[in-house]
Amino acid sequence: MSGVAKIRVLERAVDVMNSLAEMEQPSGLSEIVERTSLPKTAVFRILNTLEEHSLVMRCNGQYAIGPAVLFWASAYKVQNVLLEVAKPHMVELWDFTRETVHLVFFDGENAYYIEKLDTPHPVRMRSRIGAHLTLYSTAAGKAILSALSQEEIDAYLNKVALTRKTPNTIMDKEKLMAELSKIRQEGFAKDIQENEEGICCVGAPILQNGKPIGAISVSAPAYRFTEEKMLEAGRKVQEIVAKVSEALSRTPV
């Protein structure tokens, strides 16, 4: 929070909430303390306060995200212009591919999944709305990076360590730069089992005034996403993000 004084207790509360969300199941106090590396007494007090406001619920000594967060989530969806504009176009893309379609929001530093249309096939993606995604190893993330200025890309690479997610993850900065150049030429990005083994994706950036504010991607198991199908989906994603970007050029986000 550059230039703004941080409120430590709020930061700790956010850490606790993030920990509960990431664990995906009710968790005990000791487990939360271990994941957050916060003092046990501080975590206990934070949980009690959050529970009073229904942001956390407790049952049999286990803690979980509470129902009050739904009020915030609902308000976010209502107020999010990107989601409102993109949703019908996502449905069009879903009808075309019949695979999982993601909408990603980019805040200038980080990217988050804000909508997901699941495939009707039995094998589905593990991605979750609200989760942060890695820019350098995902199709949506690389699409966003490709739309940034060289100065912005350099700043990103200077602060982010390229960590291997799978054997296919691009670990060399020069290779990543070459990949971003290829994305600009082709109009869409590919993730060929780079972020998660067995999963392939294509994605393209959503632009407003020439700046990336998000991306749309299609994800599928590698055995279903052949090279031909990825090319078809990539071209369709290009078409879809062009429609969304055009609509956003007339609408403030």
Side-chain angles (χ1 to χ4, degrees):
M1 201 181 285
S2 178
V4 179
K6 297 181 180 180
I7 301 177
R8 192 176 184 188
V9 68
L10 290 180
E11 288 190 316
R12 288 181 166 186
V14 170
D15 287 343
V16 169
M17 292 294 288
N18 284 338
S19 176
L20 287 172
E22 289 168 358
M23 285 189 278
E24 300 184 357
Q25 61 184 3
S27 306
L29 176 61
S30 296
E31 187 176 0
I32 300 168
V33 168
E34 182 179 351
R35 287 182 64 90
T36 59
S37 300
L38 295 174
K40 187 173 184 178
T41 54
V43 173
F44 182 73
R45 290 170 182 166
I46 288 169
L47 287 169
N48 281 347
T49 301
L50 294 173
E51 185 182 2
E52 289 177 8
H53 296 277
S54 298
L55 293 168
V56 163
M57 56 185 183
R58 176 172 49 175
C59 182
N60 298 324
Q62 300 285 298
Y63 296 89
I65 295 292
V69 299
L70 295 173
F71 177 70
W72 292 353
S74 177
Y76 177 79
K77 282 198 168 187
V78 169
Q79 296 172 22
N80 191 286
V81 177
L82 174 59
L83 177 56
E84 178 185 357
V85 171
K87 187 64 177 282
H89 299 292
M90 292 177 64
V91 172
E92 179 185 346
L93 180 60
W94 185 90
D95 285 337
F96 180 83
T97 63
R98 307 296 283 182
E99 297 292 356
T100 301
V101 176
H102 292 108
L103 175 63
V104 171
F105 171 69
F106 179 60
D107 66 6
E109 291 189 5
N110 300 298
Y112 306 87
Y113 294 111
I114 63 171
E115 186 59 291
K116 175 184 180 182
L117 303 181
D118 265 316
T119 177
H121 298 294
V123 179
R124 301 185 175 188
M125 305 300 102
R126 294 185 299 176
S127 53
R128 300 170 59 207
I129 293 175
H132 172 272
L133 73 154
T134 306
L135 295 182
Y136 64 85
S137 62
T138 60
K142 288 191 293 182
I144 290 169
L145 283 176
S146 74
L148 294 176
S149 68
Q150 187 60 53
E151 183 180 358
E152 290 170 320
I153 295 172
D154 290 340
Y156 170 77
L157 292 176
N158 285 335
K159 69 179 180 181
V160 174
L162 302 182
T163 304
R164 189 175 299 283
K165 306 281 186 177
T166 77
N168 292 341
T169 305
I170 298 175
M171 299 292 295
D172 182 83
K173 292 185 179 181
E174 288 187 7
K175 288 183 179 180
L176 180 59
M177 292 303 301
E179 177 79 359
L180 298 182
S181 178
K182 183 180 178 181
I183 292 168
R184 295 185 196 103
Q185 293 174 3
E186 296 185 345
F188 65 92
K190 298 177 185 176
D191 161 11
I192 304 178
Q193 303 187 65
E194 296 168 41
N195 192 66
E196 184 178 348
E197 289 192 63
I199 301 298
C200 292
C201 311
V202 293
I206 298 171
L207 306 177
Q208 187 179 46
N209 300 321
K211 296 288 187 179
I213 62 167
I216 291 178
S217 67
V218 178
S219 304
Y223 71 86
R224 279 205 307 262
F225 230 10
T226 62
E227 185 175 347
E228 181 181 357
K229 288 187 175 180
M230 287 186 73
L231 180 59
E232 290 178 353
R235 288 172 176 167
K236 187 64 177 180
V237 168
Q238 279 183 275
E239 176 189 324
I240 292 299
V241 297
K243 293 179 180 179
V244 175
S245 297
E246 171 62 24
L248 287 171
S249 70
R250 305 187 299 269
T251 308
V253 175

